Amino acid sequence: AQTVTQSQPEMSVQEAETVTLSCTYDTSESDYYLFWYKQPPSRQMILVIRQEAYKQQNATENRFSVNFQKAAKSFSLKISDSQLGDAAMYFCAYRHQGAQKLVFGQGTRLTINP
Amino acid sequence: NAGVTQTPKFQVLKTGQSMTLQCAQDMNHNSMYWYRQDPGMGLRLIYYSASEGTTDKGEVPNGYNVSRLNKREFSLRLESAAPSQTSVYFCASSALDRVLSPLHFGNGTRLTVT
């Protein structure tokens, strides 16, 4: 079974600085998708960024970018110019091609210090 | 622009009581899901429905039943609530016929079983 591991239960960063959240996954599949979701205190789950495994180019969405290392099965999220509104739980998630299910990591709570 | 709507937002039950969590989506998605979120464990899949008329077990189905009433609605029932079912429950939907389709989440139900 596929598993997703986020080894950092909590992270903190100064406002305007850069932070990287780690995610590793275990799979024997070659075609899959990876996602980062953000959950602010409102509890709503918000998609931050997504990556197809067959693409070598790392996905970027404004201040959010990923470092996808397929051989190492690593999918880290980099947040540049951190803002107070970035404070949230961040979840890494995996789904293989054709699968119905999305598998989530344990989450990382990110605090932004003003 | 409702998206995924879950009711209720909060619920307190006594051990042994039953209840149904309701979920409806207006995005014409085929796939719907129920997840539970517990501290340090991320989101774990309870049940999912790939299409109207089908349901399948996820990681943690014990103690729950589901009904895919129609394409829009997917309910989760606790027949005899237990304290171990205290959690935040999320309904989600997805159009998995489209590549990289993310999950769209409801706002969650916080359930406490005493």
Side-chain angles (χ1 to χ4, degrees), chain A:
Chain A
Q2 291 86 10
T3 57
V4 178
T5 302
Q6 293 177 250
S7 59
Q8 306 154 317
E10 297 183 351
M11 292 280 286
S12 63
V13 65
Q14 290 296 126
E15 191 177 4
E17 295 192 345
T18 295
V19 63
T20 298
L21 308 184
S22 301
C23 173
T24 59
Y25 56 93
D26 184 23
T27 185
S28 58
E29 304 289 336
S30 58
D31 293 327
Y32 50 87
Y33 308 107
L34 296 162
F35 304 84
W36 277 98
Y37 280 86
K38 169 185 177 181
Q39 186 183 43
S42 66
R43 218 165 61 194
Q44 177 67 40
M45 294 285 285
I46 303 164
L47 178 68
V48 174
I49 200 165
R50 49 191 161 181
Q51 173 86 39
E52 298 120 306
Y54 67 86
K55 285 190 176 179
Q56 292 188 335
Q57 186 174 4
N58 289 324
T60 62
E61 289 285 344
N62 300 314
R63 296 182 296 106
F64 298 87
S65 61
V66 298
N67 183 5
F68 174 48
Q69 302 286 332
K70 191 172 184 179
K73 297 180 182 175
S74 171
F75 183 61
S76 60
L77 175 69
K78 185 171 84 170
I79 306 174
S80 303
D81 186 24
S82 299
Q83 300 176 1
L84 295 177
D86 295 333
M89 282 287 287
Y90 286 82
F91 292 97
C92 179
Y94 162 99
R95 179 171 71 82
H96 76 75
Q97 174 79 17
Q100 291 290 331
K101 298 178 284 187
L102 198 63
V103 179
F104 286 86
Q106 304 91 328
T108 297
R109 183 174 300 281
L110 178 63
T111 302
I112 311 295
N113 300 314

